[in-house]
Amino acid sequence: MRHLAIIGSGPAGYYTAEAAQKLWGEDVRVDIFDRLPVPFGLIRTGVAPDHQSIKGVSRRYENVALSDNVRFVGNVSVGSDVSIAELQGLYDAVVLATGAPHDRPLDLPGAELANVFGSAQFVGWYNGHPQFAGLDPDLSGRTAVIIGNGNVALDVTRILAKTRAEFAGSDIVAHALDILAGSKIDRVVILGRRGPHQIAMTPKELGELAHLARACPRVNPGDLPEDGEDALLEPGQRKSVQHLRSFAAIPEAHRQEQPVEIEFDFFAAPKAILGTSQVEGVEIERTRLEGGRAVGTGETYVIPASLVVACIGYQTSPIPGVPFEESAGRFANHEGRILPGLYCVGWARRGPSGTIGTNRPDGFAIIERIAEDIGEGTSKPGRPGFDALAQSRGLDVVTFRDWQKIDEAEIQRARQDSPREKFVRVDDMIEAAKRP
Ligand code: NAP
């Protein structure tokens, strides 16, 4: 028998559990830990609430979770409730699938001003992550600046631009919907420090901006490279750039009909966030490309703005005693191996890149490596050992069955046009889990 502990119940964690199940069948026991009482990590609190079809992948994880050899161990914080070393004593392999839940710091003067957020905070707020549910952003000003040219920048822009009616069918939490419904923002500026050919936005996500009820994207035609240069791009990127070209060609008359403008500002590197207590503007330096890198031209300008969301990427949280690669924001590892018996997978292994599906081959690959390392398994105590430890510490473990009660309660309390109303406080989740 092999005993595996997976830390983190997001896509990387569940795909790893699925791979273990496929390889070893009945000869493995997997415990998936999560610090929250609810599973699915990024699917629940990262994927945009209006992208329900992407969230549907959690049904696949449910099949894994409901088998006898995989168990969800929720509401247990690895690092405080139980240490990595303790888990290593109990399980043959410990796999860190903790994702990248923190913002890469926005290293600019003024970044600490009120109403300047990182995307982990802002996305966590509208997705009801307990850590960020109380963010309470001020949307009473007219201009928001979004920093970054990736898909998260698109998510945040779209959420700020949508009407209340456009959230029908989404699971955006009520506190965010109420604040967004009263938003006065009518200009969202997306800053890219490089150009249209360097965006990290995928075509489907970018194309959505052309179909919003009250918002219209604007691209300065002068920022676009010559048409012929698109041929050098790989097909996905080329499609994204075609969207930008079509945005640049939107007739002014149509634009005038749309009260919210989404403006792409390329070759624009933020230099400072301006303001006294709350953000009042962003100072920007014009850039040009040199060998693919953005280089400042010395020309600066200011965009007055009352909200800034930096969507510049995420990083993994370091764990004391676990080697960490600071510059890449992930655990130091060689093909997922960190130390004997300790592994990482998904964003915790490779940094925050790729789609949800990228985690599947990653999960299968790490299980192959673990199989090479642990063979038939050892005589570690596994589950019963953890249960004894949890009992001795009085840990309030939330099981998958408990989660199903939380799930049911969230579905029951949903608004009329929403699949669920999430609990945003851990206490409320646990209360729902413990209902008879
Ligand atoms: P990302 O794709 O890495 O994009 C980060 C962006 O921030 C880049 O444009 C980068 O520009 C810019 N940036 C970084 N540091 C900056 C700085 N100091 N100043 C100005 N700009 C800076 O990251 P992400 O948007 O957070 O997305 C993370 C991953 O999740 C990606 O793989 C993404 O595709 C995925 N995701 C997918 C979906 C979806 O499929 N629907 C939705 C959300 C997220 P440079 O290129 O110049 O470095």
Side-chain angles (χ1 to χ4, degrees):
M1 180 61 72
R2 292 116 183 132
H3 298 286
L4 259 62
I6 296 174
I7 321 304
S9 68
Y14 269 106
Y15 284 126
T16 303
E18 184 187 345
Q21 237 182 7
K22 285 234 158 82
L23 183 66
W24 289 308
E26 272 312 299
D27 298 325
V28 67
R29 294 288 176 273
V30 182
D31 281 356
I32 304 183
F33 291 81
D34 204 296
R35 65 190 163 124
L36 288 181
V38 291
F40 307 140
L42 187 86
I43 303 295
R44 179 178 166 101
T45 57
V47 171
D50 57 345
H51 280 172
Q52 287 296 308
S53 60
I54 301 182
K55 287 184 190 262
V57 74
S58 59
R59 278 192 290 277
R60 181 193 180 111
Y61 308 152
E62 224 166 77
N63 292 337
V64 177
L66 287 169
S67 65
D68 290 338
N69 51 355
V70 175
R71 160 175 110 148
F72 175 66
V73 185
N75 200 33
V76 174
S77 276
V78 173
S80 49
D81 291 331
V82 54
S83 71
I84 292 279
E86 284 169 327
L87 292 180
Q88 284 186 280
L90 294 170
Y91 297 86
D92 296 317
V94 175
V95 185
L96 303 175
T98 46
H102 296 295
D103 287 304
R104 284 187 49 212
L106 180 65
D107 198 10
L108 293 181
E112 71 297 340
L113 289 170
N115 237 28
V116 178
F117 304 111
S119 52
Q121 296 175 294
F122 200 77
V123 171
W125 167 70
Y126 62 63
N127 266 330
H129 191 298
Q131 199 178 341
F132 306 115
L135 200 72
D136 203 19
D138 175 0
L139 307 187
S140 64
R142 297 189 59 175
T143 302
V145 169
I146 310 300
I147 303 174
N149 271 181
N151 280 330
V152 173
L154 285 178
D155 281 347
V156 170
T157 298
R158 200 178 61 252
I159 297 296
L160 285 172
K162 277 194 164 182
T163 59
R164 189 179 184 114
E166 286 174 288
F167 286 109
S170 82
D171 68 349
I172 190 163
V173 289
H175 67 230
L177 190 57
D178 289 345
I179 291 184
L180 286 162
S183 166
K184 297 280 181 290
I185 291 170
D186 61 6
R187 183 180 179 221
V188 183
V189 183
I190 306 177
L191 294 186
R193 61 181 169 182
R194 298 191 290 157
H197 273 191
Q198 286 74 36
I199 57 171
M201 297 162 166
T202 45
K204 181 174 163 291
E205 285 63 29
L206 193 53
E208 282 178 77
L209 293 192
H211 303 286
L212 297 174
R214 64 171 176 190
C216 188
R218 177 190 286 276
V219 168
N220 175 359
D223 286 340
L224 291 163
E226 294 292 323
D227 279 9
E229 293 180 29
D230 291 2
L232 303 170
L233 300 171
E234 57 89 17
Q237 188 78 343
R238 203 178 309 142
K239 269 194 184 165
S240 292
V241 174
Q242 274 159 12
H243 281 302
L244 294 178
R245 292 192 187 283
S246 68
F247 298 167
I250 293 173
E252 203 56 39
H254 173 70
R255 208 171 264 135
Q256 296 304 328
E257 289 163 12
Q258 303 290 89
V260 176
E261 180 162 86
I262 298 169
E263 187 181 322
F264 285 81
D265 194 1
F266 291 111
F267 306 106
K271 298 301 286 176
I273 312 292
L274 311 174
T276 42
S277 56
Q278 179 160 329
V279 50
E280 291 165 26
V282 182
E283 186 189 336
I284 296 160
E285 182 174 13
R286 200 43 86 211
T287 65
R288 62 185 150 74
L289 284 182
E290 262 181 30
R293 288 173 58 89
V295 179
T297 60
E299 178 196 341
T300 61
Y301 56 100
V302 170
I303 297 182
S306 58
L307 170 73
V308 171
V309 187
C311 306
I312 59 171
Y314 297 123
Q315 57 188 13
T316 299
S317 332
I319 299 177
V322 180
F324 195 72
E325 208 181 307
E326 206 69 53
S327 57
R330 63 182 178 216
F331 296 110
N333 71 91
H334 181 65
E335 293 182 339
R337 291 182 174 101
I338 304 177
L339 292 169
L342 185 61
Y343 303 83
C344 56
V345 69
W347 281 8
R349 176 181 81 77
R350 58 177 205 277
S353 64
T355 63
I356 288 162
T358 317
N359 293 300
R360 189 163 189 271
D362 226 27
F364 278 71
I366 200 65
I367 286 300
E368 271 176 29
R369 274 170 216 129
I370 293 172
E372 281 166 22
D373 294 351
I374 68 171
E376 299 290 307
T378 61
S379 54
K380 297 232 171 137
R383 276 183 191 182
F386 174 76
D387 290 346
L389 183 80
Q391 201 176 15
S392 73
R393 298 218 169 132
L395 300 184
D396 197 2
V397 172
V398 168
T399 66
F400 202 80
R401 298 275 171 217
D402 292 334
W403 147 246
Q404 287 179 310
K405 286 202 238 165
I406 301 174
D407 188 30
E408 259 172 48
E410 288 187 340
I411 293 168
Q412 264 175 21
R413 66 203 282 273
R415 299 181 302 274
Q416 204 192 356
D417 57 0
S418 170
R420 71 176 62 243
E421 185 62 56
K422 289 177 192 164
F423 292 110
V424 301
R425 287 167 20 121
V426 168
D427 286 351
D428 293 340
M429 294 172 184
I430 293 185
E431 208 249 331
K434 302 299 172 195
R435 276 182 210 160

